[in-house]
Amino acid sequence: MQVKTIQEVFDWTVQFHTQMAANFFSVRELMGERNVALADYCVDYEKKLAEDLIGFKAISEINTLNTYCYEYFLENKDIVQFTDLDRDQDLNAQAIQEYLSTQHQKVLDVYSYLSDKAQSPEAQEKLNQLHELEEQGLKQMMQSINRHADM
């Protein structure tokens, strides 16, 4: 996927969460019984984040950041490529946490960069809201994984 505009950033982020959900679903059979519930939780939460972003995109009009989107993705070409979970590793709670953190940090970095470049308070506010949505989603998943590991 080529990302040049802020609308394409929305699309990229929705695709990111959809791929994360599909990836967790695809590795369920490689996990022990205990971690299958964890994978199911990640599938559901990633789908929820994608749905939230679709709703956010529907109410947002941001056009001033297109140049900065293009520059960011041009300089960070590898970010567009989705990284699957390593099927050769032990897919336990720690591995899932590390994977989620690493992958979601890519999205957080995009929104931080774009927020810093925003020229209008409205665009900056919307991007800060998206960053907060992503950050809170990641925190929620990490807390749930920690609770699951404690059980």
Side-chain angles (χ1 to χ4, degrees):
M1 172 178 216
Q2 191 172 11
V3 180
K4 294 181 180 178
T5 68
I6 192 66
Q7 296 301 322
E8 290 169 341
V9 170
F10 280 117
D11 295 340
W12 169 78
T13 310
V14 169
Q15 182 179 359
F16 167 85
H17 289 299
T18 303
Q19 287 178 312
M20 290 285 286
N23 191 25
F24 278 113
F25 186 79
S26 74
V27 297
R28 289 176 78 247
E29 74 276 358
L30 301 175
M31 298 179 164
E33 182 179 328
R34 180 183 160 135
N35 288 326
V36 169
L38 187 56
D40 289 341
Y41 168 78
C42 291
V43 167
D44 292 341
Y45 208 90
E46 291 291 346
K47 288 177 7 184
K48 179 194 175 304
L49 286 170
E51 291 167 1
D52 289 349
L53 282 161
I54 290 168
F56 196 90
K57 179 183 175 185
I59 61 171
S60 297
E61 291 292 330
I62 304 175
N63 294 318
T64 61
L65 295 172
N66 291 344
T67 300
Y68 296 117
C69 290
Y70 180 73
E71 288 174 359
Y72 186 86
F73 283 91
L74 187 62
E75 292 172 10
N76 299 282
K77 292 178 183 180
D78 61 319
I79 194 172
V80 178
Q81 302 301 318
F82 182 77
T83 306
D84 286 331
L85 269 164
D86 182 2
R87 292 171 168 264
D88 294 329
Q89 71 176 344
D90 181 21
L91 296 175
N92 57 26
Q94 182 180 355
I96 291 170
Q97 274 188 319
E98 289 173 9
Y99 174 74
L100 279 170
S101 180
T102 301
Q103 294 305 305
H104 279 259
Q105 190 59 50
K106 294 177 184 180
V107 176
L108 291 169
D109 290 347
V110 171
Y111 288 117
S112 289
Y113 174 85
L114 293 175
S115 177
D116 289 345
K117 297 291 185 179
Q119 296 174 354
S120 74
E122 297 83 14
Q124 190 171 36
E125 180 183 348
K126 294 225 185 275
L127 288 161
N128 286 338
Q129 289 171 346
L130 284 170
H131 187 274
E132 183 69 19
L133 174 72
E134 291 291 333
E135 193 170 54
Q136 290 305 315
L138 179 58
K139 284 179 186 177
Q140 170 105 22
M141 286 191 290
M142 292 297 173
Q143 288 172 349
S144 294
I145 291 168
N146 284 335
R147 281 193 300 272
H148 177 82
D150 289 343
M151 293 174 27

